[in-house]
Amino acid sequence: MSSPTAAQAIARPSGGPLDDRPLTDAEVHALRIDFPILQTEVNGHPLSYLDSGATSQRPFAVLDAERTFASTLNAAVHRGAHTLAAEATEVFEDARATVARFIGADESEVVWTSNATEAINLVAYALSNASLGRGGAAAERLRLREGDEIVTTEMEHHANLIPWQELAARTGATLRVIPLDDDGALRLDVAADLIGERTRLVAVTHVSNVLGVVNPVEDIVALAHGVGALVLLDACQSAPHLPLDVRALDVDFAVLSGHKMLGPTGIGALYGRRELLEAMPPFLTGGSMITTVATTTAEYLPPPQRFEAGTQRVSQAVALAAAIDYLTTVGMPRIAAHEAVLGRRLVEGLRGMDGVRVLGAGIDRPRVGLASFDVEGIHAHDVGQFLDDLGIAVRVGHHCAQPLHRRLGVTSSTRASTYLYTSEAEVDALIDGVAATIDFFRRGA
Ligand code: PLP
């Protein structure tokens, strides 16, 4: 967009890529002007949006990118020969390159999907098809048989659990689960026993969407690769908040969702190590993923197009690239530092309150700006309702992580989650709001 955004205005005066100072209050307030929804009111109060873990808000740069594409370049990609189609294809592929750079991958290793859920299912169904003998000799190494094991953890979002349950059911493989300790930390000692010569794939989340803590991915990767197993990283809650380098982490697959990182809904991405994508049979089939088609057979394009059947989500991909440009202009290290400050403030403020239990508060690991808590004697839905009346948006329920909640002895919790546009004052208002909720319900009791 032609007018400079607040992100550009605050972009690293020192110019150094390693600038990891937390954002100042003035910078956060400047950034907020780029987000129209943050200027609105809810229930008579200025909106305090503490639900970015569910979906993030979009700056003008992202909204404008989608509109500009639709109003000046809209055409189907990789199909037409006319000028508009060629230009649309170019910006679509530029957007892929932007995602690849953002996560340290090659553009041939980035597959567009609708969201992270679809990206995980893509891998699960490709392995399933390989197990049926599809994909020929190249896919043989991906074949799962009875006796093979898939390993995941007790803290996964359902999106990184149910596809593996289904894959196990389809192939006869066994699903094994790394348990948590009472605080919600992964039991690495048990993981070391679980991950063995039968393990073919380990699927783990980088950052828990309930606890906000960063998992020791390097340790899990070392265990998995030590026995020749593949690793799929659920980067849904890390890619938006931390610098992410899939090669440095040495994972084989990683997934992300655009709507959690300032982008639109309907767009996500799968990273796959090139030689793995080359060996994988497709998940969805149809137009755009083929070279030659006869009535009873077809040959497929190499990755990433092999996995992109049908008309693509072009304006969403272009808008996600605009979101990534926005994030990198501010600087991922600065965003991570800002959120670490907010995360600590959130946890310290909440755990000091009588009757409040912060899930995973004791885990000694870096965290993002996200915390879930249980208030003794008050249902999470009541907490959420009370906060909503104050204009504070939080998530309540099990956050698509029922096994984790069950393990920690609760059925639901209240989750507050921040982003680069969240101010310290909003975190303080949330803590005051929880105190007011407790006061209200205890007085009424
Ligand atoms: N994994 C994690 C850790 C998440 O937090 C989420 C969304 O909340 C997902 C996966 C699924 O993302 P989506 O619903 O965008 O596919």
Side-chain angles (χ1 to χ4, degrees):
M1 291 304 97
S2 52
S3 60
T5 64
Q8 285 161 338
I10 70 155
R12 301 187 278 275
S14 65
L18 296 177
D19 184 349
D20 59 359
R21 292 166 299 138
L23 297 169
T24 65
D25 209 38
E27 287 173 327
V28 172
H29 280 93
L31 284 176
R32 290 173 68 86
I33 294 165
D34 284 340
F35 293 80
I37 206 167
L38 299 181
Q39 319 311 322
T40 60
E41 291 198 343
V42 168
N43 296 325
H45 297 273
L47 169 64
S48 202
Y49 187 74
L50 293 177
D51 198 17
S52 292
T55 200
S56 58
Q57 298 303 346
R58 294 172 226 174
F60 284 114
V62 170
L63 300 167
D64 291 348
E66 197 161 2
R67 187 187 163 95
T68 302
F69 175 84
S71 50
T72 63
L73 287 178
N74 189 38
V77 297
H78 288 299
R79 286 186 175 182
H82 56 79
T83 303
L84 220 49
E87 286 175 359
T89 302
E90 197 177 321
V91 293
F92 181 65
E93 289 306 320
D94 285 350
R96 189 195 307 277
T98 300
V99 173
R101 268 194 310 279
F102 186 66
I103 61 172
D106 185 82
E107 51 200 90
S108 64
E109 299 176 310
V110 172
V111 178
W112 294 117
T113 61
S114 296
N115 50 35
T117 304
E118 186 187 294
I120 296 170
N121 275 280
L122 190 164
V123 175
Y125 275 97
L127 297 186
S128 182
N129 288 338
S131 307
L132 289 172
R134 306 293 300 158
E140 199 49 35
R141 61 185 287 215
L142 300 171
R143 202 168 181 148
L144 269 85
R145 298 180 173 80
E146 214 169 312
D148 285 340
E149 293 180 354
I150 305 161
V151 174
T152 185
T153 86
E154 211 175 3
M155 70 163 65
E156 299 307 314
H157 187 284
H158 298 160
N160 199 26
L161 178 64
I162 302 170
W164 309 122
Q165 295 175 350
E166 287 290 315
L167 177 62
R170 287 195 298 274
T171 60
T174 304
L175 182 62
R176 309 200 70 189
V177 180
I178 302 171
L180 307 179
D181 69 15
D182 291 343
D183 220 1
L186 287 176
R187 291 277 310 271
L188 285 182
D189 53 333
V190 181
D193 289 336
L194 274 185
I195 298 172
E197 58 186 25
R198 291 170 176 233
T199 310
R200 304 296 310 284
L201 177 96
V202 179
V204 62
T205 193
H206 195 181
V207 171
S208 161
N209 69 313
V210 177
L211 310 172
V213 291
V214 184
N215 278 326
V217 174
E218 295 83 352
D219 295 339
I220 305 272
V221 170
L223 289 172
H225 286 176
V227 296
L230 301 173
V231 177
L232 179 140
L233 185 70
D234 179 349
C236 259
Q237 297 290 349
S238 58
H241 306 288
L242 309 168
L244 175 67
D245 186 331
V246 290
R247 268 203 237 293
L249 284 175
D250 199 22
V251 293
D252 301 286
F253 300 103
V255 302
L256 54 85
S257 264
H259 69 95
K260 292 186 193 287
M261 46 200 290
L262 309 187
T265 51
I267 189 78
L270 165 71
Y271 157 77
R273 209 188 277 284
R274 197 191 167 107
E275 67 271 19
L276 290 169
L277 291 182
E278 273 166 358
M280 272 161 56
F283 158 44
L284 297 174
T285 53
S288 296
M289 48 76 72
I290 45 81
T291 51
T292 319
V293 182
T295 48
T296 54
T297 56
E299 283 174 25
Y300 305 140
L301 280 164
Q305 273 81 21
R306 184 189 301 161
F307 302 102
E308 294 174 357
T311 304
Q312 292 297 296
R313 305 131 279 223
V314 190
S315 61
Q316 293 92 331
V318 169
L320 174 56
I324 290 175
D325 286 344
Y326 191 96
L327 292 170
T328 49
T329 300
V330 176
M332 289 309 293
R334 295 208 67 193
I335 294 171
H338 174 60
E339 292 213 53
V341 170
L342 296 181
R344 270 197 304 278
R345 200 175 180 101
L346 203 49
V347 171
E348 276 158 21
L350 288 167
R351 78 170 163 199
M353 297 169 69
D354 189 29
V356 174
R357 173 186 170 207
V358 180
L359 306 183
I363 302 173
D364 182 22
R365 299 244 173 234
R367 58 168 58 248
V368 299
L370 179 153
S372 301
F373 56 97
D374 175 57
V375 185
E376 197 183 352
I378 308 175
H379 196 279
H381 283 105
D382 290 331
V383 177
Q385 182 67 57
F386 195 94
L387 293 172
D388 190 45
D389 287 346
L390 301 173
I392 303 173
V394 293
R395 171 98 186 253
V396 296
H398 51 64
H399 324 312
C400 299
Q402 288 186 22
L404 166 64
H405 278 84
R406 202 168 294 123
R407 170 63 183 88
L408 298 183
V410 287
T411 50
S412 62
S413 60
T414 304
R415 181 181 75 184
S417 52
T418 70
Y419 211 176
L420 72 168
Y421 43 65
T422 310
S423 67
E424 292 187 12
E426 286 182 297
V427 170
D428 294 346
L430 178 271
I431 292 161
D432 290 347
V434 175
T437 311
I438 295 172
D439 194 45
F440 175 83
F441 281 95
R442 297 231 167 110
R443 264 190 290 118

